[in-house]
């Protein structure tokens, strides 16, 4: 399928100001761009008049929790549902993201161990609508932490470097793209939790080593300065929150800016303070 967008205000994501122009898209590739009074080829294309609206690259949801039940039009007052209902709601949330312009979603953890693995296959196959998905499994908190849901296999959350390695090996073999660790706790779990470290340095090192061996990416929930440092020093690819980063942590992040992504997720903090 070939489409030409004309009379559009183009935001190209490069950092430059938006500009008037036209864009030709063939299949899933932008093949021609014209700015100002220029025109792209119309041959074999459907022409869409944007009528001055903004045309921009697809958005990336860098901290996606599509298995969290509530959506903007359907609040659900629980995080634990029967598995059949929960999986259907997860698929619905993927469609909502796509409809809102998010063409990629990077999972920050799933409430169903294999929900996202199955959903990714359906989206990739064209059977269900949704953004390109980097799939994850349940977030890993160490045994005994209040963040470990009762509905999941407690054996997955055992302490010690070897238990961490087993978890990474298990979910890499199941086909996830990314595995998320709760390296710090959270004030939502326990007062002052955002400054508490949940893993030892040896455990985090084991996670990084096994992820490289198994060929998967690591993500982490990291409010505390120490948890940010653990993540950067052990090859984590995406770090969430970074709320209490000190100067040393900021310096480490800057030095690793070509390989590490930071997704602060300030919306959840604002919502908790003002909309809860």
């Amino acid at each position: 399928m070939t489409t030409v967008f004309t009379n559009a205000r183009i935001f190209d994501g490069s950092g430059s100001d938006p500009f008037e122009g036209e864009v030709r898209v063939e299949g899933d590739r932008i093949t021609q761009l014209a700015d100002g009074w220029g025109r792209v080829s119309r041959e074999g294309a459907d022409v869409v008049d944007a009528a001055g609206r903004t045309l921009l690259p697809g958005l990336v949801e860098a901290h996606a929790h599509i298995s969290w039940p509530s959506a903007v039009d359907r609040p659900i007052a629980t995080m634990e549902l029967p598995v059949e209902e929960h999986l259907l709601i997860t698929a619905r949330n993927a469609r909502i993201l796509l409809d809102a312009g998010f063409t990629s979603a990077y999972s920050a953890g799933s409430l169903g161990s294999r929900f996202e693995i199955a959903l990714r296959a359906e989206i990739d196959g064209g059977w269900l609508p949704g953004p390109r998905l980097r799939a994850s499994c349940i977030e890993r908190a160490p045994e005994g932490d209040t963040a470990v849901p009762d509905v999941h296999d407690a054996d997955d959350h055992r302490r010690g470097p070897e238990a961490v390695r087993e978890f990474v090996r298990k979910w890499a073999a199941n086909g996830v793209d990314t595995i998320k660790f709760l390296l710090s706790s959270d004030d939502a779990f326990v007062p002052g939790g955002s400054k508490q470290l949940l893993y030892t340095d040896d455990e985090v090192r084991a996670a990084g080593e096994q992820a490289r061996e198994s060929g998967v990416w690591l993500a982490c929930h990291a409010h505390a300065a120490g948890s940010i440092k653990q993540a950067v020093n052990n090859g984590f690819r995406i770090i969430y929150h970074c709320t209490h980063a000190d100067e040393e942590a900021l310096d480490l992040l800057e030095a690793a800016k070509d390989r590490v992504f930071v997704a602060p997720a300030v919306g959840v903090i604002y919502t908790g303070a003002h909309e809860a």
Side-chain angles (χ1 to χ4, degrees):
M1 180 177 178
T2 300
T3 306
V4 168
F5 296 91
T6 186
N7 193 22
R9 185 170 181 264
I10 299 168
F11 176 84
D12 66 7
S14 69
S16 62
D17 292 334
F19 55 91
E20 304 297 324
E22 297 186 346
V23 176
R24 179 181 172 92
V25 180
E26 298 180 18
D28 60 358
R29 297 289 180 184
I30 295 171
T31 58
Q32 196 175 1
L33 174 68
D35 58 5
W37 295 102
R39 287 169 64 87
V40 301
S41 170
R42 265 91 168 139
E43 183 178 355
D46 294 326
V47 178
V48 176
D49 185 352
R53 296 182 180 88
T54 299
L55 183 69
L56 72 162
L59 300 171
V60 178
E61 171 52 88
H63 192 150
H65 282 299
I66 61 174
S67 65
W68 288 22
S70 283
V72 290
D73 61 344
R74 188 185 181 188
I76 296 174
T78 181
M79 299 285 274
E80 299 177 10
L81 296 164
V83 65
E84 300 86 356
E85 182 179 353
H86 205 151
L87 181 56
L88 289 172
I89 288 172
T90 300
R92 178 178 180 273
N93 287 346
R95 178 186 58 76
I96 290 171
L97 264 184
L98 183 64
D99 287 348
F102 289 88
T103 57
S104 297
Y106 197 116
S107 177
S110 173
L111 289 175
S113 296
R114 295 195 69 258
F115 283 4
E116 293 182 357
I117 299 168
L119 180 58
R120 180 192 59 198
E122 295 300 302
I123 293 170
D124 288 350
W127 308 114
L128 287 174
R132 289 184 298 273
L133 176 62
R134 293 301 186 189
S136 190
C137 53
I138 184 68
E139 300 173 50
R140 193 186 196 280
E143 183 180 32
D145 187 76
T146 55
V148 177
D150 292 336
V151 295
H152 293 289
D153 186 355
D155 203 46
D156 274 348
H157 303 273
R158 291 180 294 109
R159 292 188 177 271
E162 187 50 40
V164 169
R165 286 182 179 275
E166 288 177 11
F167 183 84
V168 174
R169 284 195 297 265
K170 171 183 175 178
W171 289 108
N174 270 295
V176 299
D177 301 299
T178 176
I179 297 173
K180 181 182 174 186
F181 282 76
L182 295 171
L183 293 188
S184 80
S185 189
D186 195 291
D187 293 342
F189 307 150
V190 61
S194 63
K195 294 187 177 181
Q196 296 176 0
L197 301 186
L198 296 183
Y199 287 90
T200 67
D201 289 344
D202 287 343
E203 288 170 328
V204 181
R205 187 179 305 111
E209 290 172 353
Q210 189 59 56
R212 288 187 288 276
E213 290 177 22
S214 298
V216 293
W217 294 333
L218 293 180
C220 66
H221 174 103
H223 285 289
S227 63
I228 301 166
K229 298 169 193 177
Q230 286 179 323
V232 176
N233 288 332
N234 289 286
F236 281 64
R237 189 173 194 262
I238 189 162
I239 306 175
Y240 297 119
H241 304 298
C242 297
T243 312
H244 302 299
D246 57 19
E247 289 300 319
E248 182 183 3
L250 292 173
D251 288 344
L252 283 171
L253 289 170
E254 184 177 6
K257 65 183 181 181
D258 292 333
R259 64 175 178 85
V260 173
F261 295 87
V262 174
V266 293
V268 71
I269 299 172
Y270 178 91
T271 301
H274 299 285
E275 309 293 345

